[in-house]
Amino acid sequence: MPHGFVSLKTDSQEINRMNICKTISEFRQYRHSAAGKVIFVPTMGALHEGHGSLVRMARRLAGPDGIVAASIFVNPTQFGPHEDFHKYPRPFEQDLANLTAWGADVVFSPSPEEMYGPGNAISIDPGELGTVLDGAIRPGHFRGVCTVVAKLLGIVEPAAMILGQKDFQQQLILKHMVRDLNIPVEIITAPTLREPDGLAMSSRNRYLSPDQRSRAASIYQALSWATDQYKSGMRDAAALVAGMSEHLRQAGLEVQYALPCHAETLEVYPKAVGAPCVFLIAAKLGTTRLIDNVVNS
Ligand code: PAF
């Protein structure tokens, strides 16, 4: 088998080959020898069906002649010193099998040394949007995200990049980044995929014990409750915050925020909730931090 390709066996059949590039120059070689537009799905691996929906969407957008590129890179610069960088799951072989089954053509999977070589010193300031909500709780997080995504876009050179709505603040900041830095890529936000009880699919769900897992469904219950209230005309921000927080606390979650925000500026509606509105939640179950949101336009 040629170097850089993977050929995987499912239960009974061999499925098509996918190119694996571990270095920037390998990826560029592949990219410049392949014709057709590239649709890109950046990931940190530990892939689940939520990623599957992004890769399948990329496959549809790329068509038979385009290229679906994914990256797997657990980016150290977006983790705080006490966060889960070292324990972040890295089931690489399973990820490759999934990407192949979902229709990806190529995966870029560099080492930290490849991405951040000696003397690497420039990073991207995410601006005001990077200082609120998760930006306030995880200082430096969005600087790390913007920097790695700008680097990935410079390497992959896609026509479009697909991001999940679950990371609402991230997709908004990255849309601002490509606009402000004139990076020629379209960003498409794909809907959040949920488990049957409403829990948003996330690589971090695998940290939850069975008991925590059942209590985690309260996040979507709180968001659904707020959405129902909003749709039936409730506009009292304080009451919505109190109601969402109560749902979470009753299930034993530690609430970091449960807020109605402007869906384009992320400003918290202080009194009367207007439109467009996104209800945003971040909550902890033990040491696992989960986020989710619902948009009401
Ligand atoms: O959402 C993620 O998985 C990461 O933040 C991203 C966009 C791949 C950057 O490391």
Side-chain angles (χ1 to χ4, degrees), residues 10-275:
T10 57
D11 286 348
S12 58
Q13 98 226 73
E14 189 171 87
I15 46 186
N16 60 320
R17 288 176 172 192
M18 185 174 58
N19 209 313
I20 303 168
C21 302
K22 297 246 175 207
T23 66
I24 296 167
S25 67
E26 265 170 32
F27 188 87
R28 288 208 164 118
Q29 226 179 328
Y30 171 89
R31 171 75 179 83
H32 293 132
S33 66
K37 66 176 172 188
V38 176
I39 312 292
F40 177 45
V41 181
T43 83
M44 297 204 302
L47 304 178
H48 48 71
E49 273 302 319
H51 295 108
S53 71
L54 308 186
V55 176
R56 288 194 188 98
M57 178 186 279
R59 186 69 274 158
R60 285 195 299 278
L61 291 173
D65 301 329
I67 297 159
V68 174
S71 59
I72 297 180
F73 180 59
V74 187
N75 173 36
T77 67
Q78 70 188 75
F79 289 79
H82 305 296
E83 293 184 350
D84 55 346
F85 173 69
H86 291 291
K87 81 163 184 177
Y88 200 84
R90 290 163 172 86
F92 190 61
E93 293 303 320
Q94 185 57 48
D95 286 347
L96 293 182
N98 281 332
L99 286 173
T100 307
W102 296 330
D105 297 304
V106 58
V107 61
F108 176 54
S109 172
S111 64
E113 296 71 30
E114 178 71 8
M115 286 298 273
Y116 299 104
N120 198 296
I122 307 290
S123 61
I124 293 180
D125 183 340
E128 279 287 299
L129 282 178
T131 63
V132 298
L133 301 164
D134 280 6
I137 293 169
R138 305 181 67 189
H141 171 66
F142 288 117
R143 177 179 291 275
V145 169
C146 285
T147 304
V148 80
V149 172
K151 287 164 75 71
L152 290 168
L153 290 174
I155 296 162
V156 176
E157 299 179 64
M161 171 170 73
I162 304 182
L163 299 170
Q165 188 194 311
K166 185 181 76 67
D167 298 300
F168 189 83
Q169 188 174 5
Q170 167 172 280
Q171 57 83 42
L172 195 62
I173 290 173
L174 291 174
K175 281 180 179 160
H176 282 243
M177 180 185 83
V178 302
R179 182 199 67 190
D180 293 356
L181 299 182
N182 308 101
I183 301 177
V185 64
E186 182 190 354
I187 298 188
I188 297 163
T189 304
T192 303
L193 229 67
R194 301 184 177 283
E195 301 288 354
D197 65 358
L199 178 65
M201 290 190 186
S202 163
S203 305
R204 290 186 167 101
N205 291 351
R206 62 185 78 190
Y207 296 152
L208 300 170
S209 69
D211 171 56
Q212 289 173 331
R213 169 64 192 81
S214 66
R215 289 188 285 126
S218 63
I219 298 176
Y220 187 60
Q221 286 158 11
L223 290 168
S224 302
W225 171 83
T227 299
D228 289 348
Q229 296 294 312
Y230 182 81
K231 285 191 172 147
S232 55
M234 153 75 94
R235 292 292 180 269
D236 181 340
L240 288 162
V241 170
M244 284 192 285
S245 306
E246 190 51 27
H247 268 85
L248 298 166
R249 287 202 191 99
Q250 274 189 2
L253 278 72
E254 180 195 326
V255 185
Q256 291 195 323
Y257 57 77
L259 294 168
C261 295
H262 190 290
E264 284 155 14
T265 65
L266 293 186
E267 277 168 56
V268 180
Y269 286 113
K271 286 202 161 95
V273 178

